[in-house]
Amino acid sequence: MKSSQIKSIAAVVVLVIAVITGTSCFTTVEGGHKGVAITFGNISDQELDEGFHFKAPWTKVISIDCKNQAESDSFKDVTLKARDQLTSRVDITVNWRVDGNFAAEAYRETGGLEGLRDKYLIPKTRSLIREEGKSVERSEDFFSSDVQIALQDGILTKLKETLSDKGIIIEAVLFRNIELPPSIERGINAKKEMQQEAERAEATLLKFETDQKQKVAQAKAELEAAKTEQERRMVQADAKAYEIEAEAKAKARSIELEGQARAKAIALEGEALRDNPNLVDLRKAEKWDGKLPTTMFGAGQDVMIDLSKTPKK
């Protein structure tokens, strides 16, 4: 092999070694993670933040996920007992994440995210679920929203207290489903049916009362309308009576005045007759139509003579 070929091969080998060495001298920690540096088996206490970092070629960097995690599969159908010792089952979700400031220590003790979950989070949560369940008097109370909130808050507070120094931050504890003992569920369903029946009866009664109130209001309105109509008719009757009374009074007054006038006229005529005896003959003359009598009685006879049939001369 020629020396030039050997030099070319050596140059390529050196270049490859340089590239490998160069790429081993830096690392990148992705967002939401912390880097843990390990040198010859020794874990550094200093975590690496997200971004670009230089390191020794022989140093290995482990990425620890510090984003929010939702653990549900490990808390399905967990046993829960109240003071009545009846067994209920519950499904819970725990929202948690690794504390970035404890990433190195967490890796040293448990090997990372899964180790923290399996060694600390799951056992402690299950234990607290059973412990908090004992604070409830009756199993049926697990269906109460107030009781569920109290249980969630109690478990959340104690998880924070016990796991914070393990590098675990608890964000929330959520009850997703509660399955009560069959006997309790039957009793609750029966109670619900009774409540629903009572609510339906109350609604029916309320509707009946509303209808009756409407009918009473309508009857009152009709009564008021009848009173108004009666009052109107009474006013009209009073007006008519007043009109008739006024007319009668006017007519009576007219008759009275007419009688007074006639009486006065008769009185005056009587006075005139006394003062003028011939006035009667004058009145007769005024009434004569100028025609002579056609019949007459003979003197001292009861025979009536028709003068119109006497012969003319």
Side-chain angles (χ1 to χ4, degrees), residues 257-268:
L257 293 176
E258 184 179 354
Q260 290 176 356
R262 290 182 63 186
K264 188 175 182 180
I266 292 171
L268 291 174

Side-chain angles (χ1 to χ4, degrees), residues 208-227:
F208 175 77
E209 291 178 350
T210 302
D211 292 342
Q212 294 304 309
K213 288 179 180 179
Q214 290 177 348
K215 290 180 180 179
V216 170
Q218 183 178 358
K220 286 182 178 180
E222 292 176 354
L223 178 60
E224 291 298 325
K227 287 182 178 179

